[in-house]
Amino acid sequence: MNMPTDTRALYDKTADNWARQQPSSLSDYTARPQVMALCEPLAGKLVLDLGCGEGYCSRMLRQRGAQVVGVDVSERMIELARQAERAHPLGIRYEAADAVTADLGEASVDLVVAVFLFNYLDVEQMRKTMANVHRMLWPGGSFVFAVPHPAFAFMREAAPPFYFDVGSAGYFSARNKLFGGRIWKRDGSALDVQLVHKTLEDYFEGLRAAGFTAMPTVTELTVTRQMVEMDEKFFGPLLDLPLHLAIKVTRA
Ligand SMILES: C[S@@+](CC[C@H](N)C(=O)[O-])C[C@H]1O[C@@H](n2cnc3c(N)ncnc32)[C@H](O)[C@@H]1O
């Protein structure tokens, strides 16, 4: 079993396995393109990518016309993001900081993006971060985030290409507990990931408490028939399972 560990240590240690310029892991197909679609229109927008890792989504946002700042708690991830920026300059700025505690300014950006950040934070940390995000957005600005679908871990055995090992825990008793998991790349290698489980109520109550009052757009993401046609061995085992949630909410 892959045991959970300190987030920053996990990502400093495994950062090099995440570095990529092309889609490689399962969620590069099943989540990130769908998140980008939710972020549009991006041309000319000021965007903050929270938990940017080695910059994969920051680069996608920039290539769609946004001005991007990426923030991540892992210094090694930020080092790799800056290396990619030096190799192929896009004008993205990267900073090492903790999304929960950093002072990231007020009413200064059009869009905040957080792709698989909240599964590393407990409920209280997520609520603080959502409140920070609300403060950072201009009125009319949006927050787009992706998280593991809250039901997924309880519907899935510990097998490729994606799982979280919740053992015998149930949906409610697992709340706010940390579990290890793995997500595979199409080359057959695996990445260690973590889940602090949250219920659906946690996400929507967190947004409400942060000050978001508009109805969010919620997309439940899974593998598509086209993905299975492209690579049945890889995507086939997850057909019909809810994998991730992508949520967009706009600040009034
Ligand atoms: C699964 S990776 C996703 C990276 C990137 N968003 C992507 O989609 O490729 C999660 C990232 O969240 C970062 N992270 C976790 N906790 C954080 C925190 N409190 N503040 C900032 N970044 C954090 C990790 O260091 C890691 O790079």
Side-chain angles (χ1 to χ4, degrees):
M1 189 178 106
N2 160 37
M3 292 300 290
T5 176
D6 167 69
T7 302
R8 189 173 155 185
L10 170 72
Y11 276 101
D12 280 345
K13 195 170 80 172
T14 61
D16 295 58
N17 300 336
W18 286 84
R20 63 214 190 274
Q21 296 296 330
Q22 298 296 328
S24 62
S25 78
L26 174 80
S27 50
D28 290 343
Y29 297 87
T30 54
R32 291 181 181 87
Q34 297 78 348
V35 166
M36 290 300 135
L38 269 183
C39 290
E40 291 286 2
L42 279 159
K45 296 280 167 66
L46 284 176
V47 180
L48 180 66
D49 182 9
L50 277 187
C52 64
E54 51 69 56
Y56 184 76
C57 292
S58 300
R59 291 187 291 274
M60 289 175 93
L61 293 160
R62 178 71 191 118
Q63 280 150 2
R64 286 163 176 75
Q67 291 294 325
V68 186
V69 176
V71 168
D72 200 281
V73 77
S74 157
E75 306 240 349
R76 179 65 188 150
M77 282 289 205
I78 291 296
E79 200 177 306
L80 289 175
R82 288 179 178 154
Q83 264 175 32
E85 179 62 27
R86 279 195 296 276
H88 301 284
L90 293 170
I92 305 172
R93 189 158 63 81
Y94 294 103
E95 300 293 340
D98 185 331
V100 184
T101 54
D103 179 1
L104 296 162
E106 293 200 11
S108 52
V109 295
D110 300 297
L111 173 71
V112 178
V113 178
V115 180
F116 300 119
L117 167 67
F118 290 148
N119 40 307
Y120 294 89
L121 307 185
D122 65 24
V123 172
E124 199 43 45
Q125 291 169 326
M126 178 183 75
R127 288 170 80 107
K128 276 192 192 151
T129 307
M130 286 178 167
N132 291 344
V133 169
H134 188 267
R135 263 196 307 279
M136 264 176 256
L137 286 171
W138 298 113
S142 297
F143 179 33
V144 174
F145 63 97
V147 290
H149 194 293
F152 171 72
F154 305 93
M155 301 173 76
R156 175 72 187 149
E157 59 179 329
F162 185 29
Y163 73 89
F164 291 108
D165 194 347
V166 292
S168 57
Y171 181 83
F172 290 105
S173 56
R175 180 175 181 264
N176 230 1
K177 295 203 172 110
L178 174 63
F179 303 97
R182 285 218 162 104
I183 192 162
W184 268 258
K185 300 196 223 176
R186 285 183 67 201
D187 68 6
S189 61
L191 297 161
D192 290 345
V193 288
Q194 295 188 354
L195 170 70
V196 181
H197 171 62
K198 294 167 202 74
T199 62
L200 268 184
E201 192 174 315
D202 288 322
Y203 291 114
F204 294 104
E205 270 305 297
L207 289 174
R208 193 194 55 75
F212 290 100
T213 51
M215 173 82 93
T217 301
V218 179
T219 319
E220 295 183 281
L221 300 172
T222 185
V223 301
T224 61
R225 290 268 164 213
Q226 290 91 323
M227 291 174 204
V228 175
E229 273 162 29
M230 175 170 67
D231 187 345
E232 182 162 10
K233 190 162 171 282
F234 185 71
F235 293 105
L238 298 177
L239 194 61
D240 218 15
L241 284 176
L243 304 182
H244 331 283
L245 285 182
I247 297 180
K248 177 176 191 170
V249 63
T250 297
R251 183 187 164 158

